[in-house]
């Protein structure tokens, strides 16, 4: 599926329910990580969140696909290159729109 800027929109599911911070348990590192929500984007019906670590020593944004199951967020790293490109393109459009 090719990305079309009109198919993406900003949403506020996590921020409206949980505030501007979320926690994700990283099974690889075996610890909980705390993140600030930079934005949430719906791309053709799939929701993504761009997070930055609360720890100021790591300024890089992270992109996760997410869903809400019984009100609890479930974060999944994006592994498909095509899906990553679509979500990243939507994030770039969001940046251009909101931080120009």
């Amino acid at each position: 599926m090719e990305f079309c800027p009109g198919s993406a929109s900003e949403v506020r599911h996590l921020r409206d329910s949980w505030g501007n911070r979320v926690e994700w348990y990283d099974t690889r590192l075996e610890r909980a990580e705390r993140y600030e929500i930079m934005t949430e984007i719906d791309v053709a019906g799939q929701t993504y969140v761009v997070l930055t670590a609360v720890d100021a020593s790591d300024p890089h944004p992270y992109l996760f696909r997410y869903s809400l199951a019984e009100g609890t967020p479930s974060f999944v790293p994006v592994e498909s290159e095509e899906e990553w490109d679509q979500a990243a393109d939507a994030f770039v459009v969001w940046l251009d729109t909101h931080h120009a």
Side-chain angles (χ1 to χ4, degrees), residues 30-78:
E30 298 183 346
R31 69 175 187 231
E33 299 286 326
R34 292 178 1 142
Y35 295 95
E36 291 278 341
I37 297 172
M38 188 174 208
T39 189
E40 300 168 66
I41 300 172
D42 181 292
V43 180
Q46 177 60 61
T47 49
Y48 298 91
V49 62
V50 179
L51 305 171
T52 56
V54 171
D55 175 7
S57 67
D58 184 6
H60 298 88
Y62 294 92
L63 175 68
F64 291 95
R65 177 178 353 111
Y66 80 89
S67 61
L68 294 172
E70 299 178 17
T72 302
S74 174
F75 300 104
V76 178
V78 177

